[in-house]
Amino acid sequence: MQEIERTLELLGKEYAGSSQANFRKGGLIGLAAATLGLNSMAHKWLHMLLPPILQCFPDQDSRVRYYSCEALYNVAKVTRSRLLPHLNEIFQGLCRLCADIDQGVKNGAQLLDRLLKDIVASDPSFEVDSFVPVLRQHLNH
C-alpha cells in the first residue's frame, strides 16, 4: 500500500505537477496506467489520482489538456460509480474542455463526457439534487 501511494504521489506531484509540459504528460500517462493496474482497487486512491489530473485540465499546453482527459477517462472507466462523489468538480473542468480551441482536446472531452453520462445513467443512487446547482451555474453563463 505504501509503495502504491509513493508511486502515485511521485506521478502526481513530481511529474503531473512539473513545470515542464513533457513531464506533466508523462505523469498523466503514468496515473492512467496506474489506475488500470490497480483495477478494482483504484477507487481507494481517488484522493491521489483526481487532484493532479484535474489540475492539468486548464493547462496552457493542449497536449497536457488532452492527456488529462485521457487519464480521467481511464480513471472513470475503472472506478465507475465510485467516481460520482467527485462529479461536480469533474463537470466544472469538463465544461471548459468541451469548449477548448484544440479539436483533439474537444474530442477527448466528448469521449469523457459520454462515459460520465453512461455512468450517471446506470447508477440509480446518483444524487441529482447536489448536481443541479452546478449545472444551473453553467447554464447561466
Side-chain angles (χ1 to χ4, degrees):
M1 290 270 204
Q2 289 179 338
E3 289 178 8
I4 293 170
E5 289 183 8
R6 280 197 302 264
T7 301
L8 293 177
E9 186 171 343
L10 178 70
L11 290 169
K13 288 184 180 176
E14 299 297 320
Y15 285 90
S18 172
S19 61
Q20 296 183 32
N22 285 335
F23 281 30
R24 291 192 301 274
K25 289 185 272 187
L28 291 164
I29 292 168
L31 289 169
T35 301
L36 295 173
L38 290 167
N39 200 4
S40 64
M41 295 188 332
H43 70 277
K44 295 179 181 180
W45 289 279
L46 279 173
H47 67 284
M48 297 184 80
L49 292 165
L50 289 177
I53 294 171
L54 294 175
Q55 287 172 359
C56 288
F57 270 19
D59 198 274
Q60 71 243 16
D61 187 309
S62 63
R63 299 307 301 161
V64 172
R65 294 191 307 272
Y66 174 80
Y67 283 119
S68 65
C69 286
E70 186 176 286
L72 189 54
Y73 183 91
N74 286 329
V75 170
K77 192 78 171 167
V78 171
T79 61
R80 304 288 303 176
S81 63
R82 294 183 185 254
L83 186 74
L84 292 178
H86 308 279
L87 186 65
N88 289 355
E89 185 179 4
I90 293 167
F91 179 77
Q92 290 177 2
L94 190 56
C95 284
R96 287 188 294 272
L97 293 178
C98 284
D100 200 277
I101 58 171
D102 184 272
Q103 190 60 43
V105 174
K106 280 184 189 180
N107 291 343
Q110 289 170 353
L111 286 172
L112 176 58
D113 179 60
R114 281 194 291 275
L115 175 60
L116 291 172
K117 287 176 184 174
D118 288 344
I119 293 169
V120 167
S122 67
D123 189 335
S125 68
F126 175 66
E127 295 182 23
V128 175
D129 293 342
S130 66
F131 179 68
V132 168
V134 176
L135 180 61
R136 185 178 297 131
Q137 176 187 0
H138 284 279
L139 290 175
N140 289 335
H141 285 127

